[in-house]
Amino acid sequence: MRPDGQERLCSFSEINAEATRRAAHLLARGLKKGDRVALVIPDSDEFVLSFLGAIYAGIVPVPMYPQLSFKNVESYHDTVAHITRASGASLLLTTTGTRPFVEPVKDKVEGLKSIVSVTELEGPAPGAIDHVKISPTDPCFFQFTSGSTSRPKGVVVTHGNLAANSEAIMIHGLAKDSSVDKGVSWLPLFHDMGLIGFVIAPLFTDIPVVFLPTASFVRAPRVWLDTIHRHRGTITYAPNFAYALVAKRLKDKDVQGLDLSCIKIAGSGSEPIQAKTLHDFAEKLKPAKFDPRAFLPSYGMAEATLAVTFVKHMTGMRVDTVDSLALQQGKATPPQNGKNDGGTGHQELVCCGHAFPDHEIAIVDEHGKRLGDREVGEIIARGPSITPGYYQEPELTAQSWKQHDGETWLHTGDLGYMIDGEVYICGRIKDIIIIRGRNYYPQDIEWAVSELPGIRRGNVVAFSVDVDGEEQLVICAEAFQSDAAGLLEQITSTVAGQIGLSVHKVEIVPQGMLPRTSSGKPQRRKTKQMFLEGTLPQAGKAGRANAASPSDSNGGEGVQDGAQ
């Protein structure tokens, strides 16, 4: 579906024919097996057909997010140039409408020979394409990470990785039924969840998919539900923020007339999953006959192709309630009578299920020793979906892909624990805020602040800074300037009451001005850097908890966004 509401139907046979034609055009431009082509294509149909055309020719596509405005365009040019240069792409494929936003990249990348619009690939194929011999270990495409912690890194996703992950997701995870199942997705196709979850895996098992423009969902979340209702979609997926957006924006009248009883899979992943969000979504859509058993929390990351664990389909969300103080000390202990002596209560963590068949998850301490149930440590994973590493980044690859007992394990950097083989996610190792010897997860702080009226939900960043040799808490939140003065007291009292921490400084940032990754997540490291440099935009001077300036603090190591 296009932004103007027009739909284009492509059968599997038509997709095959068009991908073959585009493959021939790419080869006619001098590209050969193993060459890389950068894709900056906002239209779902053009993206899918061009992506598959490259693969048919043995060319390695490198998807990138498209920019459709000149806001911060120089930073965008730098990102596109970096990814193009790092991947070694010699051709950048785009659309006529997007071309002005990428044209300046040509002069920034020496190896980039040409920028081509998809319209230039129209017309009869210039010749038949020879059969391209592909092995499971050959790279299929490069998935560049969202860059939440540093400049994006290119994950090498092989054909074998995709085959293994597609089988695990569609057959073992979703128990697909090609006779009735249909996907509905607004997820961006330059991101692994949209690309693998709704293009590659469904093609692997003959499941049709309806694509919506991402911007259409953001502007009017009901379009997602309308499309599911109209097409009788059975499988959909979204990050936590999307479920929260629906629960917040939809009115009771918006739900009238919807029949969502067709949904058998409502997956959640890509970011920390909040139990309350899914509860609120299910309650909002109860009149539309949405079945909460359709919720399917999962865990994964680009370095593992996409997903590593799923809960069993049609079992819904399950929650583990743990003592907050014990969790800070590395133990996922159930609260005694719902209370503890730390004054910070308890919290709910969502079960993300078992590892797929032929895959394994383990929890280890900082020395690589395996931990037992309810002991918090780093999540490591192995199996055929684990990618071989980052493209031409041997040192970074060695930091995360490590040998244990003769097997290669991916050290995810995520913190979690297990109960009877099922994993629960706590946060990221470098995310941890350590204040007065206790560990705090920034996601918990951010979520508490996001719930306050006037705060844009999901647009809060928490981190610590060194102030006179002591770590102190800083919170940056997006809100309107008119609300800035009143939010100072609300934020500090909420964090004190729910988390048990005093806030050193609060910055209220104008709406849409927190730095973000290509997938829309606020960047903690970049936000912290801007705070320390004094370059973070402010909605109101009242947002400061004291008179010290950002430059009075000394910055330590940055923190990272987790993948869930």
Side-chain angles (χ1 to χ4, degrees):
M1 182 182 293
R2 292 291 180 86
D4 60 6
Q6 292 185 353
E7 296 186 1
R8 177 183 180 182
L9 175 63
C10 292
S11 66
F12 287 125
S13 60
E14 290 170 336
I15 290 172
N16 177 66
E18 179 61 13
T20 301
R21 191 186 66 79
R22 295 193 185 203
H25 275 281
L26 291 172
L27 291 171
R29 289 180 172 270
L31 295 172
K32 58 186 183 301
K33 178 186 175 182
D35 287 345
R36 276 78 64 199
V37 56
L39 302 183
V40 184
I41 304 175
D43 301 323
S44 299
D45 53 345
E46 297 290 358
F47 178 93
V48 170
L49 295 170
S50 299
F51 180 89
L52 294 175
I55 291 176
Y56 274 36
I59 299 164
V60 179
V62 184
M64 282 185 265
Y65 74 97
Q67 174 128 333
L68 301 178
S69 77
F70 285 99
K71 180 181 179 181
N72 299 323
V73 71
E74 291 185 2
S75 176
Y76 177 70
H77 291 158
D78 289 342
T79 299
V80 173
H82 165 74
I83 294 176
T84 304
R85 190 181 303 109
S87 66
S90 57
L91 183 146
L92 189 154
L93 189 60
T94 187
T95 62
T96 302
T98 309
R99 187 165 187 156
F101 299 99
V102 297
E103 195 69 48
V105 174
K106 179 77 163 52
D107 295 331
K108 292 176 176 283
V109 183
E110 184 177 349
L112 181 60
K113 297 177 181 177
S114 59
I115 295 178
V116 176
S117 297
V118 290
T119 53
E120 297 177 57
L121 303 185
E122 293 178 353
I129 63 171
D130 295 330
H131 175 69
V132 179
K133 185 176 181 181
I134 298 293
S135 72
T137 57
D138 284 336
C140 180
F141 77 101
F142 292 170
Q143 177 69 61
F144 272 76
T145 61
S146 58
S148 58
T149 61
S150 59
R151 296 185 75 81
K153 304 179 290 292
V155 177
V156 179
V157 184
T158 69
H159 288 269
N161 293 149
L162 286 168
N165 211 231
S166 296
E167 177 180 352
I169 290 171
M170 301 302 297
I171 297 174
H172 303 298
L174 303 184
K176 66 89 186 178
D177 183 345
S178 299
S179 65
V180 297
D181 279 335
K182 179 183 288 187
V184 174
S185 175
W186 53 264
L187 297 168
L189 296 180
F190 56 80
H191 193 264
D192 52 4
M193 186 190 289
L195 176 55
I196 299 170
F198 284 91
V199 177
I200 297 172
L203 282 174
F204 187 85
T205 49
D206 295 335
I207 302 294
V209 176
V210 180
F211 294 104
L212 299 169
T214 301
S216 297
F217 163 75
V218 174
R219 284 194 302 267
R222 178 175 162 156
V223 70
W224 179 27
L225 309 178
D226 284 338
T227 307
I228 293 172
H229 163 87
R230 186 156 45 89
H231 286 273
R232 310 313 297 157
T234 63
I235 301 171
T236 195
Y237 234 95
N240 187 85
F241 87 86
Y243 290 105
L245 197 63
V246 168
K248 180 179 181 180
R249 285 200 193 173
L250 261 66
K251 308 299 182 185
D252 291 341
K253 64 179 182 180
D254 295 325
V255 181
Q256 294 175 6
L258 288 176
D259 177 8
L260 301 179
S261 60
C262 53
I263 300 177
K264 76 172 190 180
I265 301 293
S268 184
S270 182
E271 64 182 13
I273 302 169
Q274 299 290 339
K276 183 179 184 301
T277 296
L278 300 191
H279 283 310
D280 290 347
F281 179 90
E283 187 63 28
K284 177 71 71 173
L285 297 180
K286 188 175 181 180
K289 295 183 282 190
F290 172 76
D291 187 344
R293 293 179 301 172
F295 283 134
L296 196 153
S298 58
Y299 168 69
M301 68 217 69
E303 289 84 351
T305 303
L306 178 57
V308 179
T309 73
F310 270 18
V311 301
K312 188 176 181 181
H313 71 283
M314 289 307 292
T315 60
M317 176 182 62
R318 287 179 290 114
V319 171
D320 185 38
T321 303
V322 298
D323 182 296
S324 297
L325 179 59
L327 195 65
Q328 294 166 15
Q329 299 169 343
K331 299 288 185 180
T333 306
Q336 297 297 318
N337 300 320
K339 300 178 180 179
N340 64 42
D341 59 7
T344 56
H346 56 267
Q347 60 194 91
E348 295 180 326
L349 295 174
V350 176
C351 177
C352 289
H354 290 91
F356 289 139
D358 300 321
H359 295 71
E360 187 178 358
I361 288 283
I363 309 295
V364 298
D365 64 15
E366 62 270 25
H367 305 295
K369 178 185 175 182
R370 288 207 185 199
L371 300 176
D373 276 10
R374 292 192 172 276
E375 292 184 299
V376 176
E378 183 178 13
I379 302 169
I380 62 174
R382 59 169 293 274
S385 295
I386 304 302
T387 62
Y390 301 119
Y391 181 65
Q392 292 189 345
E393 296 278 9
E395 293 183 2
L396 290 176
T397 298
Q399 291 173 16
S400 295
W401 281 260
K402 301 179 182 179
Q403 290 286 315
H404 296 282
D405 300 325
E407 297 282 352
T408 299
W409 290 77
L410 172 65
H411 284 242
T412 67
D414 291 321
L415 286 168
Y417 62 92
M418 297 182 73
I419 303 175
D420 297 330
E422 295 186 297
V423 67
Y424 295 77
I425 316 301
C426 300
R428 293 279 296 175
I429 289 176
K430 291 186 178 181
D431 275 354
I432 291 180
I433 296 171
I434 304 175
I435 295 179
R436 291 181 290 280
R438 289 187 178 180
N439 295 340
Y440 298 89
Y441 300 105
Q443 294 93 338
D444 298 335
I445 301 169
E446 292 162 357
W447 182 254
V449 175
S450 287
E451 291 290 282
L452 293 174
I455 297 292
R456 290 191 70 201
R457 181 176 292 185
N459 292 277
V460 180
V461 171
F463 53 85
S464 64
V465 295
D466 187 318
V467 180
D468 297 328
E470 183 178 358
E471 288 296 302
Q472 299 281 3
L473 177 64
V474 174
I475 295 175
C476 302
E478 287 188 2
F480 290 115
Q481 182 174 354
S482 57
D483 297 327
L487 285 171
L488 172 61
E489 175 62 29
Q490 292 182 57
I491 291 173
T492 53
S493 61
T494 295
V495 174
Q498 295 189 26
I499 310 297
L501 275 174
S502 58
V503 181
H504 170 67
K505 198 168 293 182
V506 175
E507 293 284 5
I508 302 300
V509 180
Q511 298 229 10
M513 295 304 291
L514 281 175
R516 285 173 170 75
T517 68
S518 61
S519 57
K521 301 175 186 176
Q523 292 177 294
R524 291 198 185 97
R525 175 174 288 183
K526 182 64 174 178
T527 302
K528 177 175 179 177
Q529 177 185 342
M530 293 175 69
F531 170 81
L532 293 172
E533 293 173 347
T535 59
L536 194 67
Q538 296 179 33
K541 296 295 184 180
R544 291 177 175 271
N546 60 41
S549 69
S551 59
D552 292 334
S553 302
N554 297 317
E557 282 296 315
V559 293
Q560 298 182 351
D561 281 339
Q564 180 169 351

